Amino acid sequence: MDLHILIETAKKARENAYTPYSNYKVGCALLTKSGKVFSGCNIENDGLMSICAERVAFTKAISEGEKDFECILVLGGKEELQYTSPCGYCRQFMSEFCDKNFEIYMYYGNDKIDKKTLEELLPNNFSL
Ligand SMILES: [Zn+2]
């Protein structure tokens, strides 16, 4: 999979971010092992029930029957893109559905991209 497709998908999703409180807009693109791409953006709420772009993408995919995930690309920032990595809640959420080698790309501008595995971002995840 060409990362540019994921970057463009995430950028497009970010345009739909609903962020009247933080103005921090995030978009992401989740690639399944079957080759499908699901996008997500963050959606805020004035209660405590905002949802991050990553969990939007995962819940869209899972609700459509997807269970095997290859990687996710995340980008975000207030105006310009800045380095944005998944929050702790999303890391734990991902660990329910992805193995430790799941790849997380953080894109923050022209040729600026970082890649981590889920294990690197969430060592010793909680597990029952
Ligand atoms: Zn999150």
Short mmCIF file of all heavy atoms in Angstrom, two decimals, residues 14-58:
data_model
loop_
_atom_site.label_atom_id
_atom_site.label_comp_id
_atom_site.label_asym_id
_atom_site.label_seq_id
_atom_site.Cartn_x
_atom_site.Cartn_y
_atom_site.Cartn_z
N ARG A 14 -9.69 14.58 8.02
CA ARG A 14 -9.41 15.66 8.99
C ARG A 14 -10.27 16.89 8.72
O ARG A 14 -10.62 17.63 9.64
CB ARG A 14 -7.92 16.01 8.93
CG ARG A 14 -7.48 17.07 9.92
CD ARG A 14 -5.97 17.22 9.95
NE ARG A 14 -5.57 18.29 10.83
CZ ARG A 14 -5.08 19.45 10.41
NH1 ARG A 14 -4.89 19.68 9.13
NH2 ARG A 14 -4.75 20.38 11.29
N GLU A 15 -10.62 17.09 7.46
CA GLU A 15 -11.47 18.24 7.12
C GLU A 15 -12.84 18.12 7.78
O GLU A 15 -13.54 19.12 7.95
CB GLU A 15 -11.64 18.33 5.59
CG GLU A 15 -10.36 18.69 4.88
CD GLU A 15 -10.50 18.61 3.36
OE1 GLU A 15 -11.63 18.40 2.86
OE2 GLU A 15 -9.47 18.73 2.68
N ASN A 16 -13.23 16.92 8.14
CA ASN A 16 -14.53 16.71 8.79
C ASN A 16 -14.46 16.69 10.31
O ASN A 16 -15.48 16.46 10.97
CB ASN A 16 -15.14 15.39 8.30
CG ASN A 16 -15.44 15.42 6.82
OD1 ASN A 16 -15.87 16.44 6.29
ND2 ASN A 16 -15.22 14.30 6.15
N ALA A 17 -13.27 16.90 10.85
CA ALA A 17 -13.13 16.88 12.31
C ALA A 17 -14.07 17.92 12.93
O ALA A 17 -14.21 19.03 12.43
CB ALA A 17 -11.68 17.17 12.70
N TYR A 18 -14.70 17.53 14.02
CA TYR A 18 -15.61 18.43 14.74
C TYR A 18 -14.94 18.80 16.05
O TYR A 18 -14.91 17.99 16.99
CB TYR A 18 -16.95 17.72 14.97
CG TYR A 18 -17.93 18.57 15.75
CD1 TYR A 18 -18.60 19.63 15.16
CD2 TYR A 18 -18.17 18.30 17.09
CE1 TYR A 18 -19.48 20.42 15.88
CE2 TYR A 18 -19.04 19.08 17.83
CZ TYR A 18 -19.70 20.14 17.22
OH TYR A 18 -20.56 20.91 17.94
N THR A 19 -14.34 19.99 16.09
CA THR A 19 -13.49 20.34 17.23
C THR A 19 -13.75 21.76 17.73
O THR A 19 -12.84 22.59 17.76
CB THR A 19 -12.01 20.21 16.84
OG1 THR A 19 -11.76 21.10 15.73
CG2 THR A 19 -11.66 18.80 16.41
N PRO A 20 -14.99 22.08 18.12
CA PRO A 20 -15.26 23.44 18.58
C PRO A 20 -14.57 23.78 19.90
O PRO A 20 -14.47 24.96 20.24
CB PRO A 20 -16.78 23.47 18.74
CG PRO A 20 -17.16 22.05 18.97
CD PRO A 20 -16.19 21.24 18.18
N TYR A 21 -14.09 22.81 20.63
CA TYR A 21 -13.49 23.07 21.95
C TYR A 21 -11.97 23.19 21.89
O TYR A 21 -11.40 24.10 22.45
CB TYR A 21 -13.93 21.98 22.94
CG TYR A 21 -15.43 21.92 23.00
CD1 TYR A 21 -16.14 20.94 22.30
CD2 TYR A 21 -16.16 22.91 23.68
CE1 TYR A 21 -17.52 20.92 22.30
CE2 TYR A 21 -17.54 22.91 23.67
CZ TYR A 21 -18.22 21.91 22.98
OH TYR A 21 -19.58 21.92 22.97
N SER A 22 -11.32 22.25 21.23
CA SER A 22 -9.85 22.28 21.19
C SER A 22 -9.31 22.88 19.89
O SER A 22 -8.17 23.33 19.85
CB SER A 22 -9.30 20.87 21.32
OG SER A 22 -9.51 20.14 20.11
N ASN A 23 -10.12 22.85 18.85
CA ASN A 23 -9.65 23.21 17.50
C ASN A 23 -8.45 22.38 17.07
O ASN A 23 -7.69 22.79 16.20
CB ASN A 23 -9.35 24.71 17.39
CG ASN A 23 -9.27 25.15 15.94
OD1 ASN A 23 -9.99 24.65 15.09
ND2 ASN A 23 -8.36 26.06 15.64
N TYR A 24 -8.24 21.25 17.69
CA TYR A 24 -7.15 20.34 17.31
C TYR A 24 -7.77 19.26 16.44
O TYR A 24 -8.51 18.40 16.93
CB TYR A 24 -6.49 19.74 18.56
CG TYR A 24 -5.14 19.12 18.29
CD1 TYR A 24 -3.98 19.79 18.67
CD2 TYR A 24 -5.01 17.88 17.66
CE1 TYR A 24 -2.72 19.24 18.43
CE2 TYR A 24 -3.77 17.33 17.42
CZ TYR A 24 -2.63 18.02 17.81
OH TYR A 24 -1.39 17.46 17.56
N LYS A 25 -7.49 19.36 15.15
CA LYS A 25 -8.15 18.47 14.20
C LYS A 25 -7.26 17.29 13.83
O LYS A 25 -6.11 17.48 13.45
CB LYS A 25 -8.53 19.25 12.93
CG LYS A 25 -9.51 20.38 13.21
CD LYS A 25 -9.81 21.17 11.95
CE LYS A 25 -10.70 22.37 12.23
NZ LYS A 25 -12.01 22.02 12.77
N VAL A 26 -7.83 16.10 13.91
CA VAL A 26 -7.07 14.88 13.63
C VAL A 26 -7.82 14.08 12.57
O VAL A 26 -9.05 14.00 12.56
CB VAL A 26 -6.92 14.02 14.91
CG1 VAL A 26 -6.11 12.76 14.61
CG2 VAL A 26 -6.24 14.84 16.01
N GLY A 27 -7.05 13.52 11.68
CA GLY A 27 -7.60 12.58 10.70
C GLY A 27 -6.73 11.34 10.67
O GLY A 27 -5.55 11.39 11.03
N CYS A 28 -7.30 10.23 10.28
CA CYS A 28 -6.50 9.02 10.19
C CYS A 28 -7.05 8.12 9.09
O CYS A 28 -8.17 8.31 8.60
CB CYS A 28 -6.43 8.28 11.53
SG CYS A 28 -7.94 7.47 11.99
N ALA A 29 -6.22 7.16 8.71
CA ALA A 29 -6.61 6.16 7.71
C ALA A 29 -6.11 4.81 8.21
O ALA A 29 -4.93 4.64 8.49
CB ALA A 29 -6.00 6.50 6.36
N LEU A 30 -7.05 3.90 8.31
CA LEU A 30 -6.77 2.56 8.84
C LEU A 30 -6.82 1.57 7.68
O LEU A 30 -7.83 1.48 6.98
CB LEU A 30 -7.84 2.21 9.89
CG LEU A 30 -7.85 0.78 10.44
CD1 LEU A 30 -6.57 0.49 11.22
CD2 LEU A 30 -9.07 0.59 11.35
N LEU A 31 -5.73 0.84 7.50
CA LEU A 31 -5.65 -0.15 6.41
C LEU A 31 -5.90 -1.55 6.98
O LEU A 31 -5.24 -1.96 7.94
CB LEU A 31 -4.26 -0.09 5.76
CG LEU A 31 -3.96 -1.12 4.68
CD1 LEU A 31 -4.86 -0.92 3.45
CD2 LEU A 31 -2.48 -1.05 4.28
N THR A 32 -6.83 -2.26 6.37
CA THR A 32 -7.08 -3.63 6.80
C THR A 32 -6.17 -4.58 6.01
O THR A 32 -5.64 -4.22 4.96
CB THR A 32 -8.55 -4.05 6.52
OG1 THR A 32 -8.74 -4.13 5.11
CG2 THR A 32 -9.52 -3.05 7.13
N LYS A 33 -6.01 -5.78 6.53
CA LYS A 33 -5.17 -6.75 5.82
C LYS A 33 -5.80 -7.16 4.49
O LYS A 33 -5.11 -7.61 3.59
CB LYS A 33 -4.91 -7.98 6.70
CG LYS A 33 -3.94 -7.64 7.81
CD LYS A 33 -3.40 -8.83 8.56
CE LYS A 33 -2.32 -8.38 9.53
NZ LYS A 33 -1.98 -9.36 10.54
N SER A 34 -7.12 -6.95 4.35
CA SER A 34 -7.78 -7.25 3.08
C SER A 34 -7.63 -6.11 2.07
O SER A 34 -8.10 -6.21 0.95
CB SER A 34 -9.26 -7.55 3.32
OG SER A 34 -9.91 -6.41 3.85
N GLY A 35 -7.00 -5.01 2.50
CA GLY A 35 -6.72 -3.92 1.57
C GLY A 35 -7.72 -2.77 1.58
O GLY A 35 -7.59 -1.84 0.80
N LYS A 36 -8.68 -2.82 2.47
CA LYS A 36 -9.65 -1.72 2.56
C LYS A 36 -9.09 -0.62 3.46
O LYS A 36 -8.33 -0.88 4.39
CB LYS A 36 -10.97 -2.21 3.13
CG LYS A 36 -11.75 -3.11 2.20
CD LYS A 36 -13.09 -3.46 2.84
CE LYS A 36 -13.76 -4.60 2.10
NZ LYS A 36 -14.82 -5.23 2.89
N VAL A 37 -9.52 0.60 3.19
CA VAL A 37 -9.08 1.74 3.99
C VAL A 37 -10.30 2.38 4.64
O VAL A 37 -11.28 2.69 3.96
CB VAL A 37 -8.33 2.78 3.13
CG1 VAL A 37 -7.94 4.00 3.96
CG2 VAL A 37 -7.10 2.15 2.48
N PHE A 38 -10.24 2.57 5.94
CA PHE A 38 -11.30 3.25 6.69
C PHE A 38 -10.72 4.53 7.28
O PHE A 38 -9.66 4.51 7.88
CB PHE A 38 -11.85 2.35 7.81
CG PHE A 38 -12.64 1.18 7.30
CD1 PHE A 38 -11.99 0.00 6.93
CD2 PHE A 38 -14.01 1.25 7.17
CE1 PHE A 38 -12.70 -1.07 6.44
CE2 PHE A 38 -14.73 0.18 6.68
CZ PHE A 38 -14.08 -0.99 6.32
N SER A 39 -11.45 5.62 7.11
CA SER A 39 -10.96 6.90 7.62
C SER A 39 -11.63 7.22 8.95
O SER A 39 -12.66 6.64 9.31
CB SER A 39 -11.25 8.01 6.61
OG SER A 39 -12.65 8.17 6.48
N GLY A 40 -11.06 8.19 9.64
CA GLY A 40 -11.67 8.66 10.88
C GLY A 40 -11.24 10.09 11.16
O GLY A 40 -10.17 10.53 10.69
N CYS A 41 -12.08 10.83 11.88
CA CYS A 41 -11.70 12.15 12.37
C CYS A 41 -12.15 12.25 13.81
O CYS A 41 -13.00 11.47 14.25
CB CYS A 41 -12.36 13.26 11.54
SG CYS A 41 -14.16 13.29 11.67
N ASN A 42 -11.57 13.18 14.55
CA ASN A 42 -12.02 13.34 15.93
C ASN A 42 -13.31 14.13 15.99
O ASN A 42 -13.56 15.02 15.17
CB ASN A 42 -10.93 13.95 16.83
CG ASN A 42 -10.38 15.27 16.32
OD1 ASN A 42 -10.36 15.54 15.13
ND2 ASN A 42 -9.94 16.10 17.24
N ILE A 43 -14.15 13.78 16.95
CA ILE A 43 -15.47 14.39 17.10
C ILE A 43 -15.63 14.73 18.58
O ILE A 43 -15.71 13.84 19.43
CB ILE A 43 -16.58 13.42 16.65
CG1 ILE A 43 -16.35 12.99 15.19
CG2 ILE A 43 -17.95 14.07 16.83
CD1 ILE A 43 -17.20 11.82 14.74
N GLU A 44 -15.65 16.04 18.86
CA GLU A 44 -15.71 16.47 20.26
C GLU A 44 -17.15 16.65 20.71
O GLU A 44 -18.10 16.63 19.92
CB GLU A 44 -14.92 17.78 20.43
CG GLU A 44 -13.44 17.58 20.18
CD GLU A 44 -12.64 18.85 20.40
OE1 GLU A 44 -13.22 19.96 20.37
OE2 GLU A 44 -11.42 18.71 20.59
N ASN A 45 -17.26 16.83 22.01
CA ASN A 45 -18.56 16.96 22.65
C ASN A 45 -18.32 17.75 23.92
O ASN A 45 -17.24 17.65 24.50
CB ASN A 45 -19.05 15.54 22.97
CG ASN A 45 -20.43 15.50 23.52
OD1 ASN A 45 -20.63 15.75 24.70
ND2 ASN A 45 -21.38 15.19 22.67
N ASP A 46 -19.28 18.55 24.35
CA ASP A 46 -18.98 19.33 25.54
C ASP A 46 -19.16 18.54 26.83
O ASP A 46 -18.94 19.06 27.91
CB ASP A 46 -19.73 20.67 25.56
CG ASP A 46 -21.20 20.54 25.87
OD1 ASP A 46 -21.67 19.39 25.98
OD2 ASP A 46 -21.88 21.57 26.00
N GLY A 47 -19.52 17.29 26.71
CA GLY A 47 -19.42 16.39 27.85
C GLY A 47 -18.04 15.75 27.81
O GLY A 47 -17.10 16.30 27.28
N LEU A 48 -17.93 14.59 28.35
CA LEU A 48 -16.64 13.91 28.35
C LEU A 48 -16.61 12.78 27.34
O LEU A 48 -15.84 11.85 27.46
CB LEU A 48 -16.35 13.34 29.75
CG LEU A 48 -16.08 14.40 30.82
CD1 LEU A 48 -15.99 13.74 32.18
CD2 LEU A 48 -14.81 15.17 30.50
N MET A 49 -17.47 12.86 26.34
CA MET A 49 -17.60 11.73 25.44
C MET A 49 -17.09 12.00 24.04
O MET A 49 -17.62 11.51 23.07
CB MET A 49 -19.04 11.24 25.43
CG MET A 49 -19.41 10.61 26.75
SD MET A 49 -21.05 9.88 26.77
CE MET A 49 -22.06 11.32 26.87
N SER A 50 -16.05 12.80 23.94
CA SER A 50 -15.42 12.99 22.64
C SER A 50 -14.82 11.67 22.18
O SER A 50 -14.50 10.81 22.99
CB SER A 50 -14.31 14.04 22.74
OG SER A 50 -14.86 15.28 23.14
N ILE A 51 -14.67 11.53 20.87
CA ILE A 51 -14.04 10.32 20.36
C ILE A 51 -12.93 10.71 19.40
O ILE A 51 -13.06 11.65 18.63
CB ILE A 51 -15.07 9.37 19.71
CG1 ILE A 51 -14.40 8.06 19.30
CG2 ILE A 51 -15.79 10.03 18.54
CD1 ILE A 51 -15.39 6.94 18.97
N CYS A 52 -11.85 9.97 19.50
CA CYS A 52 -10.67 10.25 18.68
C CYS A 52 -10.84 9.68 17.28
O CYS A 52 -11.59 8.72 17.06
CB CYS A 52 -9.43 9.64 19.31
SG CYS A 52 -9.07 10.22 20.97
N ALA A 53 -10.07 10.23 16.35
CA ALA A 53 -10.09 9.77 14.96
C ALA A 53 -9.79 8.27 14.86
O ALA A 53 -10.44 7.55 14.09
CB ALA A 53 -9.06 10.56 14.16
N GLU A 54 -8.83 7.81 15.64
CA GLU A 54 -8.42 6.41 15.53
C GLU A 54 -9.56 5.47 15.91
O GLU A 54 -9.83 4.48 15.22
CB GLU A 54 -7.22 6.13 16.45
CG GLU A 54 -5.99 6.95 16.13
CD GLU A 54 -5.92 8.24 16.92
OE1 GLU A 54 -6.97 8.91 17.11
OE2 GLU A 54 -4.81 8.60 17.36
N ARG A 55 -10.26 5.78 17.00
CA ARG A 55 -11.36 4.91 17.41
C ARG A 55 -12.55 5.01 16.47
O ARG A 55 -13.29 4.04 16.30
CB ARG A 55 -11.75 5.16 18.86
CG ARG A 55 -10.78 4.48 19.84
CD ARG A 55 -11.09 4.80 21.29
NE ARG A 55 -10.74 6.15 21.60
CZ ARG A 55 -11.53 7.04 22.21
NH1 ARG A 55 -12.74 6.69 22.59
NH2 ARG A 55 -11.11 8.27 22.43
N VAL A 56 -12.72 6.17 15.83
CA VAL A 56 -13.76 6.27 14.80
C VAL A 56 -13.44 5.31 13.66
O VAL A 56 -14.31 4.54 13.21
CB VAL A 56 -13.88 7.72 14.28
CG1 VAL A 56 -14.73 7.78 13.00
CG2 VAL A 56 -14.47 8.63 15.35
N ALA A 57 -12.21 5.32 13.19
CA ALA A 57 -11.83 4.45 12.07
C ALA A 57 -11.99 2.97 12.46
O ALA A 57 -12.52 2.17 11.68
CB ALA A 57 -10.40 4.74 11.63
N PHE A 58 -11.53 2.62 13.64
CA PHE A 58 -11.65 1.22 14.08
C PHE A 58 -13.11 0.80 14.22
O PHE A 58 -13.49 -0.30 13.81
CB PHE A 58 -10.90 0.98 15.39
CG PHE A 58 -9.47 0.57 15.19
CD1 PHE A 58 -8.47 1.52 15.16
CD2 PHE A 58 -9.13 -0.77 15.04
CE1 PHE A 58 -7.14 1.14 14.96
CE2 PHE A 58 -7.81 -1.15 14.84
CZ PHE A 58 -6.81 -0.19 14.80
#
